[in-house]
Amino acid sequence: MKRKLVGTIFSLVIIAIAALASFWSLSPGKSKAAFTPSISGLHVSGNRLVNKDNQEVVPIGVSRSGTEYPCVQGQGIFDGPHDAAAVDVMASWQMNAVRISINEDCWLGINGVPAQYAGKNYQQAITDYVNLLHDKNMLAIIDLHWVSVGTTPATKQLAMPDLDHSVDLWKSVATNFKDDSSILFDLYNEPFTTSWDCWRDGSTAASSAPCTDVNFAVAGMQTLVDAVRSTGATNPLLLAGLRWGNDMTGWLDHKPHDPQHNLMAAYHNYNFNQCITSSCWQSQVLPVARRVPLVMTEVGETDCAHSFIDNLMNWADRYNIGYIPWAWNTYGCGYPALLSKMSTGTPSVYGQGVMQHFQALSYAGLKGYGEYAISNRFFGEDSASFKFTAPLKDVTVKIVVRKDVASLQYLNAYTTAGNSRFDITHVDTPTDITYTFALKSGEVLQPLDFYQANQFAALFRTSNETHDATNDTFVLNGTTDTDGQAVVLTGNIVS
């Protein structure tokens, strides 16, 4: 987002610091975890998911892949550990939600799935796992991941749920879990029909209107909503958009009717998708999130890094949008896998970014984002703004400005948290300028519930050359004052 810098920026900074000075005397409070609300009694209220006490619950967690494929392959029900100790490892990442991918044939016990991994055995294993999650105050998201048509085994995802079995599947799942108010039902993983009418209404025969691009009879979202509600289940229902969940443009216009008014939107986003910039998220995703609760039920990146997912999570945090990175396993960067060792929960490089973000959000309610501003092509400003719910000490903020144009030079730096409270330095190299704000010994940043109160800005100038801030970055390192938990938040200035 670009905005104009006013000429009297330094005077405005002094005014801003003075206006905020009264906040520094706030008494320290205890660390407030982001995930403390109960997960019982989940329901939709406006565009928020709330619990029985009407406290907002934002699902932050991981996708536990591995219950959609071993059963149909005759290898078991879970891929990897799934006992209480395994759930303890997940809890150490400070998540409050786990998405469980299920197989239609395995749940229903049809199409030749070995009996020991199907039907009641499969259902009980999933139920037991859900109960283990609840014991750690984690909600469960049941996701219909793999489906099949007729007598064909469910060995992959299809364009839409099938009319042959998906209605029976959801009636069975809903009946099994309708007394569990800590579960969300994700009606279908990733629709990829091209028709929003097909998405909502389905079809009665192969390749028939409105599902002319799907070669089987489709169970549309309205049909699945009706199937769940016919059992008496009132659980909130997640509905993913088109283009493998990455297209939300027709969601509001095709929203099914739910007598319980408990519908939520599900969105998927990877670094290789079409909608991967903050400007796209603002124009296509946020309008939906302002009308109904929205959860990014699959997100990730496949480059063995975490810059994309950092930026996506930072953007989502600004609007209390939940996110569920894919996936809790060890299958490498391309999968992408959050772990390098499953039994201990040791993260991959990609997973390290996700884990740090979860923990910063839980330990300190820490959220932040970057912003770039220009003034008449001679002056620029990279800034990072933060808010948090726990007092922080030992804070260091670094902003790195890349020298993509030859004339880019250091100009100044400031923070609305008070320049006198920080040691502010910069290091100038041939490739970049690193601005560092180090909170002085004995100083503590108190919680303020608006971002601009803790803004850190790096000013620079150019000789009428345009700087591209896409590769500029920020990082905050700190420690909670009350219990010494380390927190890290990273991101790009422009995402």
Side-chain angles (χ1 to χ4, degrees), residues 459-474:
L459 282 72
F460 50 87
R461 61 187 175 190
T462 65
S463 297
N464 200 31
E465 293 182 292
T466 300
H467 170 61
D468 180 3
T470 303
N471 294 317
D472 297 351
T473 61
F474 69 85

Side-chain angles (χ1 to χ4, degrees), residues 20 27 56-57 151 177 185 199 218 290 341 358 440 470:
L20 293 167
S27 59
E56 184 173 10
V57 176
T151 58
F177 288 117
F185 296 152
W199 178 86
V218 169
R290 284 176 167 158
K341 187 175 182 180
F358 285 7
K440 293 178 179 178
T470 303

Side-chain angles (χ1 to χ4, degrees), residues 359-360 363 478-480 484-488:
Q359 292 174 341
Y363 295 149
T479 307
T480 57
Q485 297 285 358
V487 295
V488 182

Side-chain angles (χ1 to χ4, degrees), residues 67-299:
T67 46
E68 71 273 32
Y69 52 81
C71 53
V72 75
Q73 295 167 354
Q75 298 175 353
I77 294 177
F78 285 83
D79 183 2
H82 54 279
D83 57 6
V87 172
D88 285 340
V89 169
M90 301 177 91
S92 71
W93 279 39
Q94 304 301 311
M95 63 184 76
N96 74 339
V98 174
R99 181 172 179 252
I100 306 165
S101 300
I102 65 171
N103 183 298
E104 183 174 78
D105 287 0
C106 298
W107 183 277
L108 294 174
I110 59 175
N111 290 341
V113 178
Q116 64 268 42
Y117 309 135
K120 293 297 183 182
N121 292 325
Y122 184 86
Q123 295 170 22
Q124 190 60 55
I126 299 297
T127 301
D128 291 344
Y129 186 66
V130 166
N131 290 334
L132 288 176
L133 297 175
H134 292 344
D135 288 343
K136 295 298 180 180
N137 199 42
M138 288 189 274
L139 65 89
I141 301 173
I142 303 297
D143 149 52
L144 177 55
H145 211 80
W146 282 7
V147 299
S148 64
V149 179
T151 58
T152 303
T155 58
K156 60 183 179 180
Q157 62 183 24
L158 302 180
M160 284 291 289
D162 63 296
L163 194 60
D164 288 350
H165 309 302
S166 296
V167 173
D168 291 339
L169 177 285
W170 276 115
K171 285 183 177 180
S172 176
V173 171
T175 299
N176 188 71
F177 288 117
K178 67 180 180 181
D179 295 326
D180 186 340
S181 63
S182 301
I183 289 184
L184 312 179
F185 296 152
D186 190 351
L187 294 185
Y188 192 59
N189 176 39
E190 290 182 335
F192 55 93
T193 175
T194 58
S195 166
W196 280 103
D197 287 341
C198 175
W199 178 86
R200 181 189 59 202
D201 301 331
S203 61
T204 57
S207 304
S208 64
C211 304
T212 55
D213 61 342
V214 183
N215 64 354
F216 56 86
V218 169
M221 292 296 174
Q222 184 65 67
T223 298
L224 298 184
V225 170
D226 293 344
V228 171
R229 297 302 180 226
S230 72
T231 69
T234 62
N235 305 66
L237 308 179
L238 284 154
L239 283 64
L242 297 188
R243 207 170 57 235
W244 290 271
N246 190 239
D247 176 9
M248 305 301 290
T249 55
W251 199 99
L252 291 174
D253 288 340
H254 292 82
K255 177 185 176 184
H257 170 69
D258 177 18
Q260 294 294 325
H261 305 289
N262 258 349
L263 296 186
M264 303 173 62
Y267 176 66
H268 290 196
N269 202 304
Y270 292 87
N271 59 320
F272 53 77
N273 284 140
Q274 183 171 329
C275 185
I276 58 172
T277 63
S278 58
S279 59
C280 184
W281 305 331
Q282 292 287 131
S283 64
Q284 295 188 17
V285 182
L286 189 57
V288 180
R290 284 176 167 158
R291 297 277 298 277
V292 297
L294 185 144
V295 180
M296 298 181 177
T297 48
E298 274 191 33
V299 295

